[in-house]
Amino acid sequence: MCFGTAVLAVNALDNSSYQSVRNEPIQPIQPAEITEPEKVELGKMLFFEPRLSRSGFISCNSCHNLSRGGTDNLPTSIGHNWQEGPINSPTVLNSSLNLAQFWDGRAATLAEQAAGPIDNPLEMAYTHTLAVEVLRSIPEYGDLFEAIYGTRDITIDHVTDAIAVFEETLVTPNSRFDQWLLGDDDALTAQELQGYKTFKEIGCAACHYGEAVGGRDFHRMGLVQEYQTENPSMGRYEVTGKDADRFSFKVPTLRNVDKTYPYFHDGAVWTLEEATDIMAKLQLGRELPQEDIDNMVAFMKTLTGDQPQITIPLLPPSRPNTPRPKPFDSE
């Protein structure tokens, strides 16, 4: 039985091509090198597998749509029986670069995160036992798990491990900003460079740094001014119980941010311009002129990298003993 990463960053083997030539708070994203393609392929099948949900309709891709920047572009996601989710779904792209998963960081790993929605009554509304029973009932899945994990006795740990390994491949290197970091002086326009200069000067890079341009810290939403929202989440406090963590959320990645609207944990803001203006006021106490906002938005759009090129997997059919979906069952 083999658990662990099947995806390595290219620079783990040869970092000569991806060492930034510029000393900046943001580093270029490394392309993924796949070391266990069979496990990645199985994980992709499970990522797109709606039979892991009670309805037989919702898959990981429903909320983390790989054709839409790894998210669903909704304020909060739609779960079982059209239930409204409690919080905005973060992008799955570059999620392997986060210090933890979910807005409140309650999952330490991608595998732990993958297990959560399956048995969440607001999301996929199944149980781990029934989800595994579905897979065990389909001989083709049994063959795949046996070849990779050495057993047909599938467990939820096998399932989430495979999904996590697939998600580790969902990185987006080669953005124009990365090309600039790697030495291409012509990769950015004068406006984009000015936007990046402002981004650093006013303090945005204190939270949005590293490969993911975020995802490495938890910070309070509303340091200078209180953020007004109807969303009840108290963020990191719900994990730690510490008063200091009230309304503290994981800093979101700015990679591909032009594709991952609406913004913030409540999904209340639909444009980058408005999000930039609000964050400057709430977190930095700055009233930015429109020119600065426009320049910073131009810079952030250069953070869109190569999107994962995904061939939709063909899933094996259910068998007579496969548990039946219950798409309209509210119990």
Side-chain angles (χ1 to χ4, degrees), residues 204-224:
C204 301
C207 297
H208 294 284
Y209 62 91
E211 284 182 278
V213 199
R216 302 305 306 167
D217 300 292
F218 298 98
H219 286 286
R220 179 181 172 85
M221 181 66 167
L223 286 173
V224 179

Side-chain angles (χ1 to χ4, degrees), residues 167-212:
E167 290 177 342
E168 288 171 1
T169 71
L170 302 178
V171 293
T172 60
N174 199 39
S175 69
R176 285 198 295 117
F177 189 76
D178 284 349
Q179 293 170 23
W180 179 79
L181 287 172
L182 294 168
D184 184 353
D185 292 331
D186 297 323
L188 301 183
T189 67
Q191 181 189 25
E192 292 160 353
L193 284 170
Q194 182 59 48
Y196 179 49
K197 180 181 179 183
T198 303
F199 180 87
K200 291 189 293 182
E201 287 179 346
I202 67 174
C204 301
C207 297
H208 294 284
Y209 62 91
E211 284 182 278

Side-chain angles (χ1 to χ4, degrees), residues 41-291:
E41 188 63 26
L42 174 59
K44 181 172 71 171
M45 293 173 70
L46 298 171
F47 186 89
F48 283 92
E49 180 54 86
R51 287 169 294 186
L52 295 179
S53 69
R54 185 182 185 93
S55 64
F57 184 74
I58 299 172
S59 70
C60 301
N61 193 65
S62 299
C63 298
H64 302 287
N65 194 318
L66 298 182
S67 67
R68 306 187 71 182
T71 185
D72 54 15
N73 298 130
L74 296 173
T76 59
S77 295
I78 299 169
H80 184 69
N81 269 346
W82 213 251
Q83 294 180 91
E84 180 181 355
I87 203 164
N88 180 260
S89 289
T91 178
V92 72
L93 300 182
N94 305 305
S95 57
S96 60
L97 304 177
N98 292 332
L99 81 164
Q101 306 302 319
F102 295 115
W103 282 97
D104 58 14
R106 65 184 182 274
T109 66
L110 285 172
E112 187 179 346
Q113 186 281 327
I118 294 173
D119 67 352
N120 187 322
L122 288 177
E123 299 184 61
M124 299 169 82
Y126 224 7
T127 69
H128 291 162
T129 299
L130 284 172
V132 166
E133 186 179 335
V134 167
L135 299 175
R136 287 178 175 179
S137 73
I138 300 172
E140 293 89 339
Y141 273 126
D143 293 342
L144 290 170
F145 278 94
E146 184 175 26
I148 295 167
Y149 294 102
T151 181
R152 302 181 76 87
D153 187 19
I154 302 167
T155 69
I156 192 64
D157 288 339
H158 295 132
V159 173
T160 59
D161 177 65
I163 292 173
V165 166
F166 168 65
E167 290 177 342
E168 288 171 1
T169 71
L170 302 178
V171 293
T172 60
N174 199 39
S175 69
R176 285 198 295 117
F177 189 76
D178 284 349
Q179 293 170 23
W180 179 79
L181 287 172
L182 294 168
D184 184 353
D185 292 331
D186 297 323
L188 301 183
T189 67
Q191 181 189 25
E192 292 160 353
L193 284 170
Q194 182 59 48
Y196 179 49
K197 180 181 179 183
T198 303
F199 180 87
K200 291 189 293 182
E201 287 179 346
I202 67 174
C204 301
C207 297
H208 294 284
Y209 62 91
E211 284 182 278
V213 199
R216 302 305 306 167
D217 300 292
F218 298 98
H219 286 286
R220 179 181 172 85
M221 181 66 167
L223 286 173
V224 179
Q225 299 180 29
E226 184 178 352
Y227 179 58
Q228 300 297 323
T229 181
E230 296 181 0
N231 189 288
S233 175
M234 290 189 286
R236 188 69 177 155
Y237 170 80
E238 296 173 2
V239 177
T240 68
K242 297 179 180 179
D243 284 340
D245 288 333
R246 288 182 187 273
F247 309 113
S248 181
F249 297 90
K250 184 180 66 182
V251 176
T253 175
L254 294 185
R255 293 287 184 174
N256 311 291
V257 69
D258 188 40
K259 295 178 176 289
T260 58
Y261 54 86
Y263 304 108
F264 308 154
H265 70 280
D266 58 356
V269 175
W270 285 86
T271 70
L272 264 178
E273 288 79 6
E274 184 180 1
T276 302
D277 181 45
I278 290 173
M279 291 301 286
K281 292 173 181 174
L282 295 185
Q283 305 303 103
L284 303 170
R286 301 289 292 262
E287 187 80 37
L288 294 179
Q290 190 61 47
E291 182 180 9

